[in-house]
């Protein structure tokens, strides 16, 4: 079964610091790697995503780094703010036709706490 | 637009009882999904649908049934609830691009279900 492994389970950083969350996947049949952000009591929301044909994507303070050969990708949050405190999920979408389109495999989640 | 809505927000069931969770989306999305979220396990796909009248099993389908009679609605049923089904349930929807390739999934606010 396809898996995505995420670490760490929880992360505490000081305001202004860099938060780094890592994910690794086992199957090469993924073609899209999104990160979702979830605040308490809310549903997850797409934060940033990357395709495997690029090694990095940056949107504001959020950057995805992608290493295709190592089957790893990570989320970097620069200048972390208390408002970034949330649970972050990495995910990977499987390739393939038929009824498999759009299916995401999620990592286990990382609870980020940014102290003021 | 309301986006993705879920009914109810909270529910407590006794073992053996049945219930239906309703998901509705007003974005005219083709694809809809049901996930369960448990601590340390991320989001796991229960069932999904790629169009009206079609459904398919996800990663953890046992004990659940679904129906997609209308494009905008996706129902999740528990015929005989068990304590192991205590979880937070999220519905999501996504649009299809070109050759039925779906990207961003939009999530509802979740339903917290407790089975005693």
């Amino acid at each position: 079964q396809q898996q995505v492994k995420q670490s760490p389970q929880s992360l505490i950083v000081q305001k202004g610091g860099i938060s780094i969350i890592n994910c690794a996947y086992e199957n090469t049949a993924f073609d899209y790697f999104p990160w979702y952000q979830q605040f308490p009591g809310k549903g997850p929301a797409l934060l940033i995503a990357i395709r495997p044909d690029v090694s990095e994507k940056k949107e504001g303070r959020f950057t995805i780094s992608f290493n295709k050969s190592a089957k790893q990708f990570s989320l970097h949050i620069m200048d972390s703010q208390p408002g970034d405190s949330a649970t972050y999920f990495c995910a990977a979408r499987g390739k393939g036709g038929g009824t498999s389109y759009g299916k995401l495999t999620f990592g286990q989640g990382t609870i980020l706490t940014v102290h003021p | 637009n309301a986006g993705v809505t879920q009914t109810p927000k909270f529910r407590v069931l006794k073992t053996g009882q049945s219930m239906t969770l309703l998901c509705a989306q007003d974005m005219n999305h083709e694809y809809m999904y049901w996930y369960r979220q448990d601590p340390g396990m991320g989001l796991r796909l229960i069932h999904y649908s790629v169009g009206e009248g079609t459904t398919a099993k996800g990663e953890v389908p046992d004990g659940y049934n679904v129906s997609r009679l209308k494009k905008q609605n996706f129902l999740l049923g528990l015929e005989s609830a068990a304590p192991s089904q205590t979880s937070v349930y999220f519905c999501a929807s996504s649009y299809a691009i070109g050759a039925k390739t779906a990207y961003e999934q939009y999530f509802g606010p979740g339903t917290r279900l407790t089975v005693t």
Side-chain angles (χ1 to χ4, degrees), chain B residues 83-104:
Chain B
S84 61
Q85 294 178 305
T86 294
S87 187
V88 181
Y89 292 86
F90 287 100
C91 175
S93 69
S94 65
Y95 55 93
I97 299 175
K100 298 188 181 298
T101 301
Y103 287 89
E104 178 177 359

Side-chain angles (χ1 to χ4, degrees), chain A residues 25 30-33 49-57 65-69 95, chain B residues 103:
Chain A
Y25 59 97
F30 291 130
D31 65 353
Y32 172 70
F33 299 86
I50 196 168
R51 305 275 293 269
D53 52 350
V54 298
S55 60
E56 185 176 283
K57 183 174 182 179
S65 297
F66 188 82
N67 186 329
K68 189 174 182 179
S69 60
K95 296 178 186 176
Chain B
Y103 287 89

